[in-house]
Amino acid sequence: MSWLLLSAAILALFIWLQPMPGNFVHYLFWKYTSSAKPMTGYISHAGASIYYEVYGQGKPVLLLHGGLSNKLSWFSQLPWLVSAGRQVILIDTRGHGESSHGHIPLSYPVFADDVRLVMDKIGIASTDIIGWSDGGIIALLMGLETPQRVDKIVAISANFNPSGVLEDNGAADERFHAFADLFLSDRIRGWWSGAGAGHPDLAAELTALWQSEPQLEHEHLRAITAPTLVITGENDVIDLPHSGTLAQMLAKGKIEVVLGAGHASTMTHADQINKLIADFLQIRRPE
């Protein structure tokens, strides 16, 4: 009887958490059975080794994950983007995943420098960028500092200064937090960020960073000329008016609000996110 109850509970949780489990199973099947094997490598910068993976052929698109996660957070987007005929570049942000921390403090300008050096190593002159959370901030900074290297930007749940982050996001990402509370022990959280036993130190450093950066003024945003799609969740930790201001201030910005979504919309609301990305980048929608 206990096994039946446990099985029923797991099945109910699997259904409630959709589409995350289904998408992750699809990603694992794709990764280990398809012929799309990545080219992998590292670049060295400021004492750190920055890890990257390159999948597929075609016009490049760079995926930049959020803080305290890793490249695996794109499991709902990677297989589809490759099948749609794009060359997809994944990077583990400094201090995350398979990238080491280095000997300098973490900052968005340093993250952006790391990304540009990866592009140089691969031989990519310019690229579309899809960035989630911290990754979206990095994308905006690259659009400001090196516009010739950025074609289009999709900035998902990104803020342009610390005032845009809500202290209490209420019931945002209810399903994701339920999953995290049930399964993400401190050890698993350390695996997810890639920091292992050093996860608390990484979390503390990033929390301090989030309180002081980024510091993009309205004139900075107006100087970003790349067409930019700002995506935010209805219940995001990024204040909705802040996201609206971001889209309004950008030279070529537009905004889409995903109803019911929180900060982890790339995972919890992947179908909606992928359709928005496909339409903006003018590529085939996922089937």
Side-chain angles (χ1 to χ4, degrees), residues 140 155 158-160 221 224 230 241-250 253:
L140 293 172
N159 57 298
F160 59 90
L221 299 178
I224 298 173
V230 176
H242 182 90
S243 296
T245 299
L246 170 60
Q248 183 180 14
M249 289 296 103
L250 290 165

Side-chain angles (χ1 to χ4, degrees), residues 160-281:
F160 59 90
N161 65 47
S163 68
V165 182
L166 298 173
E167 293 185 4
D168 182 8
N169 64 321
D173 291 327
E174 180 180 356
R175 289 178 300 157
F176 185 77
H177 288 311
F179 174 79
D181 291 341
L182 283 170
F183 296 108
L184 297 188
S185 65
D186 288 341
R187 180 174 296 180
I188 297 300
R189 292 178 194 274
W191 167 79
W192 182 241
S193 69
H199 177 84
D201 291 337
L202 176 63
E205 185 174 5
L206 282 179
T207 299
L209 177 66
W210 296 334
Q211 292 172 355
S212 61
E213 292 188 25
Q215 291 291 344
L216 296 175
E217 304 295 339
H218 287 182
E219 57 265 31
H220 297 140
L221 299 178
R222 286 192 288 268
I224 298 173
T225 57
T228 302
L229 173 62
V230 176
I231 301 178
T232 189
E234 179 186 20
N235 302 313
D236 212 309
V237 298
I238 306 302
D239 185 40
L240 185 55
H242 182 90
S243 296
T245 299
L246 170 60
Q248 183 180 14
M249 289 296 103
L250 290 165
K252 300 176 183 177
K254 61 177 293 189
I255 187 170
E256 295 284 355
V257 179
V258 180
L259 299 181
H263 197 61
S265 60
T266 57
M267 291 174 277
T268 62
H269 293 70
D271 290 347
Q272 296 96 310
I273 293 293
N274 292 353
K275 289 175 182 176
L276 291 172
I277 292 172
D279 291 346
F280 183 68
L281 297 185

Side-chain angles (χ1 to χ4, degrees), residues 100-117:
S100 58
H101 185 292
H103 54 60
I104 59 176
L106 301 181
S107 72
Y108 294 110
V110 171
F111 295 153
D113 286 342
D114 291 338
V115 171
R116 283 189 284 265
L117 287 171

Side-chain angles (χ1 to χ4, degrees), residues 58-61 80-81 83-86 128-130 151-154 227 229 254 273-286:
K59 179 177 172 55
V61 58
W80 153 61
L81 286 169
S83 68
R86 301 301 299 264
D128 293 330
I129 305 178
I130 304 172
D151 296 327
K152 289 184 176 182
I153 296 172
V154 179
L229 173 62
K254 61 177 293 189
I273 293 293
N274 292 353
K275 289 175 182 176
L276 291 172
I277 292 172
D279 291 346
F280 183 68
L281 297 185
Q282 297 182 321
I283 58 177
R284 177 177 56 80
R285 282 188 173 195

